[in-house]
Amino acid sequence: MAHADSPVLLRREGAVAWLVLNRPGSHNALDVPTAQAFHACCSELSADPGVRAVVVKGEGKSFGVGGDLASMRSDAPATAMALIEPLHASIRMLAALDAPVIASLRGNVAGGSMSLAMACDLAIAADDARFNLAYINVGASCDLSGSWHLPRLVGLRNAMAISLLGDSLDAQEALRLGLVNRVVPAAELDAATDELASRLAAGPTLAYGRMKRLMRQSFDNELPAQLDAERDNFRASAATEDFREALEAFFGKRKPRFVGR
């Protein structure tokens, strides 16, 4: 686990892991040490089979304002590479987890931080959250999977408007467009996030992982290939302890007790 003054904290609450961006004084701007710490935490998560749900959140008033522009003033290309490489590797690791990954969003959600939020499997936002992809406002194209996830979440035309105009969206507009799954009062965000994470952590973890991968690859597969992938994944799911428990629970008229295996 990271030290309390680390730019990223990783804590466990049972089967739920909380991955916390910890630079509240800079609204969790992403600099190179933060990117490296985030990567180290994701590596730790990837090696821990006991993790059955992950929450990504920001400490303080904002989820994050994207890249730390001050850190790029001396050598922007080199700093950008040192920032992007560990974060891209982190996003690959989060996508590969069986455990669902939840973005818990408040305040500013901008630039690379918005891309990071979109890379999570689910997103819950406080009603004070404001979203701005923001890259165009600093003369840059996007990173951290923003160009991959945004059109898949909101459609190409909306993605073009969000990315090219650089306008801000409030939480309700983000909900309408499909950027988030749910909006709650700011005072209730932590409790609502904890409730969702606990619900997912009690579910069939291996099935979650297979479902995540099927959904993502469906955009790139023709129907026959996707049908084959569904067949193979269902067959693998049918061999798990969780599937057998679900059958026993169904015929026993009780709620299943999944163990994530």
Side-chain angles (χ1 to χ4, degrees), residues 135-155:
Y135 294 96
I136 209 69
N137 297 333
V138 295
S141 56
C142 55
D143 56 4
L144 276 62
S145 76
S147 64
W148 196 90
H149 283 103
L150 184 60
R152 285 166 168 77
L153 291 172
V154 304

Side-chain angles (χ1 to χ4, degrees), residues 7-193:
V8 181
L9 306 177
L10 177 60
R11 68 173 189 265
R12 282 283 298 276
E13 296 177 6
V16 178
W18 293 75
L19 191 51
V20 184
L21 299 165
N22 188 40
R23 299 186 69 207
S26 62
H27 292 275
N28 299 312
L30 301 168
D31 62 2
V32 172
T34 302
Q36 293 171 339
F38 194 85
H39 181 267
C41 290
C42 288
S43 297
E44 188 174 337
L45 286 176
S46 295
D48 188 348
V51 172
R52 297 175 63 189
V54 177
V55 176
V56 182
K57 63 169 289 186
E59 189 66 41
K61 296 180 179 180
S62 293
F63 178 75
V65 293
D68 189 334
L69 299 179
S71 70
M72 299 185 188
R73 295 187 70 181
S74 60
D75 188 345
T79 303
M81 288 299 292
L83 178 69
I84 289 170
E85 290 295 343
L87 288 174
H88 280 195
S90 299
I91 288 170
R92 292 186 189 99
M93 284 189 279
L94 292 176
L97 291 176
D98 289 330
V101 181
I102 306 163
S104 182
L105 309 171
R106 67 168 76 248
N108 295 310
V109 186
S113 302
M114 181 171 167
S115 291
L116 177 60
M118 291 190 292
C120 297
D121 301 311
L122 298 169
I124 183 169
D127 57 9
D128 68 351
R130 290 189 64 79
F131 299 79
N132 193 317
L133 199 61
Y135 294 96
I136 209 69
N137 297 333
V138 295
S141 56
C142 55
D143 56 4
L144 276 62
S145 76
S147 64
W148 196 90
H149 283 103
L150 184 60
R152 285 166 168 77
L153 291 172
V154 304
L156 181 58
R157 189 72 75 187
N158 286 325
M160 288 294 188
I162 291 168
S163 61
L164 299 182
L165 299 178
D167 294 334
S168 292
L169 308 171
D170 63 21
Q172 289 300 327
E173 182 67 359
L175 178 65
R176 186 187 72 79
L177 289 169
L179 285 168
V180 300
N181 301 101
R182 183 181 173 195
V183 173
V184 299
E188 299 175 13
L189 179 63
D190 288 343
T193 301

